[in-house]
Amino acid sequence: MKLCLTFDAAKPSKTLIYLLCFLPMQTIPNRMHNQGPSTISPVDADANLVRDRFQRSSTMSSVESDPLQMMSLDTNRCKPNASFIWCLPQDYNQEKHPFTYFHLVNKSLPWDYAFRFVIEEISNINDKSQTMSISMYFAVSWLEPRLKINESATEWTEDRTGPLNQVNESPESLKYIWYPELEIYGLDTFGRQRVLKEMSGVRIIKNKTITYELGVRITISCRMNFDDYPLDAHTCQFQVGSYYDTHETVTCSSFFIYDLDRQRSLQHFIQIESLPSEFKVMELPSGIYAACGFQVRLQRKQMQFLVQVYLPSFMFVIVSWVSFLIKPEVVPGRMALLVTLFLVLINIFNSVRENAPISSRLNAIDLYLVVCIFLVFGALMEYAVILLLLKKRRKPMRTIDQGLRHLFAASNGAAAVPLRDTNTREVCFHNCLQLKFMLFSSISQCYLC
């Protein structure tokens, strides 16, 4: 790349840098119609380069000779013998910080940024990602001592140009004016609101203060603790400050406006308050920075959890206790009731866990449901123990053969002997046969009758 200069013999002290031209290349892109590169010869390239230099030199000469054209190139610069409301000096350097000229306004460091937040609403609170979205008008003001103000201009008192002692300007004016580099701590996304154009504006105040305001949708991260979910409460801080300058160079002040009636209904009760003093200073590895903003308190609404989770699970546990009134012999009814309630509570627990945010331990609603499940499970286990005891109680002490032998021995007037006595085994066997024969004869007679 070659830097091209022109020298004016009439003004030897004035050299104009008017063009950055490239050395002749074999191809140049056609950007106007999105076509492929066209091939040219080095001779044609040199001819075009000379022609372009001549045209630009003629243009610069005509601009220098015509003050109106020079004014149209940069209308924000102060022009001699020209009326203005405000303007920038000819030696204005956009890269220099205004506090380097604090002597012009008899002011010392630290420099001050003033923030104004007109909060429309908290549009969204995401528990999963732990973020909060805010729709608001974001405004920052700073003092620019290098501005030239025409205090006698009538525009300072006219309503059509803005409030008293203020004039509205296009946001394009910031292309020529220094503006602060800001940082929003914990920023996730920063979106500018647009309708036909970007919703922003610049306002110049008579005391050399510049205010830049724009409509934004900001999403910031917020550290949340869900161990007490859904009885949880959180505090989120919105903090903004200078990106480069520490608190020794730049401080800030802020205030906010919030209309609760414009707030849409969310899953939290929302309260916005001033930023506590411990959050007005940010200690980073690069230094200590001043911060301004506001604090948002969030308290989760609990009514839907009471109706959808707490009350039904409590009723299910009470119904499981009703099973104690059912006779143990009614096994299908009592078992079906307890198993159904147990599965329903398991389903509620899985549904709550799916929608609940991540917590470091078992949260409040999980603990409650686990206790309910354990109570129903305990009722189920209690019924199982009852069934086991009933089974043991109903077990016969003798078989049919043993019972008949014992009964026959008692009917003969003999003392009942232990059934395991091997000496009387043969006698008992014959008695049993006789008893069976007698029973068979009686049944046959009944059948004949």
Side-chain angles (χ1 to χ4, degrees), residues 225-232 300 302 305 309-310 313 349 352-353 356-372:
N225 186 357
F226 298 105
D227 291 344
D228 296 330
Y229 175 88
L231 311 175
D232 54 328
R300 191 179 304 274
Q302 302 166 5
F305 293 96
V309 179
Y310 285 95
S313 57
F349 178 79
V352 169
R353 285 301 304 165
I358 299 175
S359 57
S360 59
R361 57 181 177 86
L362 202 64
N363 56 45
I365 193 169
D366 291 342
L367 182 60
Y368 175 81
L369 290 175
V370 166
V371 172
C372 292

Side-chain angles (χ1 to χ4, degrees), residues 199-241:
M199 298 170 58
S200 62
V202 176
R203 184 168 292 173
I204 308 296
I205 306 178
K206 197 173 183 179
N207 61 359
K208 299 184 178 181
T209 299
I210 302 175
T211 300
Y212 177 50
E213 182 175 1
L214 70 161
V216 296
R217 290 186 178 93
I218 302 176
T219 302
I220 59 173
S221 61
C222 179
R223 291 187 296 271
M224 300 180 182
N225 186 357
F226 298 105
D227 291 344
D228 296 330
Y229 175 88
L231 311 175
D232 54 328
H234 313 280
T235 56
C236 303
Q237 292 78 32
F238 177 83
Q239 298 168 286
V240 59

Side-chain angles (χ1 to χ4, degrees), residues 150-317:
N150 182 10
E151 298 185 357
S152 61
T154 58
E155 285 79 2
W156 297 112
T157 57
E158 293 180 353
D159 294 337
R160 63 183 179 87
T161 58
L164 183 64
N165 295 328
Q166 300 181 21
V167 292
N168 296 326
E169 299 291 343
S170 170
E172 298 296 325
S173 303
L174 289 181
K175 293 182 178 179
Y176 313 101
I177 302 176
W178 179 93
Y179 53 87
E181 297 287 344
L182 303 178
E183 178 180 6
I184 298 177
Y185 300 100
L187 178 66
D188 192 6
T189 59
F190 186 92
R192 299 167 179 258
Q193 299 184 16
R194 299 178 61 90
V195 180
L196 298 179
K197 284 186 176 182
E198 185 178 278
M199 298 170 58
S200 62
V202 176
R203 184 168 292 173
I204 308 296
I205 306 178
K206 197 173 183 179
N207 61 359
K208 299 184 178 181
T209 299
I210 302 175
T211 300
Y212 177 50
E213 182 175 1
L214 70 161
V216 296
R217 290 186 178 93
I218 302 176
T219 302
I220 59 173
S221 61
C222 179
R223 291 187 296 271
M224 300 180 182
N225 186 357
F226 298 105
D227 291 344
D228 296 330
Y229 175 88
L231 311 175
D232 54 328
H234 313 280
T235 56
C236 303
Q237 292 78 32
F238 177 83
Q239 298 168 286
V240 59
S242 176
Y243 183 77
Y244 292 111
D245 303 313
T246 62
H247 72 291
E248 297 176 351
T249 305
V250 170
T251 59
C252 63
S253 60
S254 66
F255 73 95
F256 66 89
I257 300 174
Y258 174 62
D259 187 4
L260 186 59
D261 295 334
R262 296 177 61 99
Q263 177 65 50
R264 73 179 75 176
S265 178
L266 296 178
Q267 59 184 342
H268 294 82
F269 295 106
I270 299 174
Q271 180 182 359
I272 301 180
E273 57 190 19
S274 300
L275 192 67
S277 58
E278 60 267 23
F279 295 105
K280 292 184 178 181
V281 176
M282 292 295 298
E283 295 185 7
L284 303 177
S286 56
I288 301 176
Y289 299 85
C292 291
F294 52 87
Q295 180 172 264
V296 181
R297 290 188 177 273
L298 305 175
Q299 176 66 51
R300 191 179 304 274
K301 298 177 181 178
Q302 302 166 5
M303 180 56 66
Q304 65 176 18
F305 293 96
L306 292 175
V307 175
Q308 297 176 2
V309 179
Y310 285 95
L311 183 59
S313 57
F314 173 77
M315 294 171 63
F316 291 151
V317 172

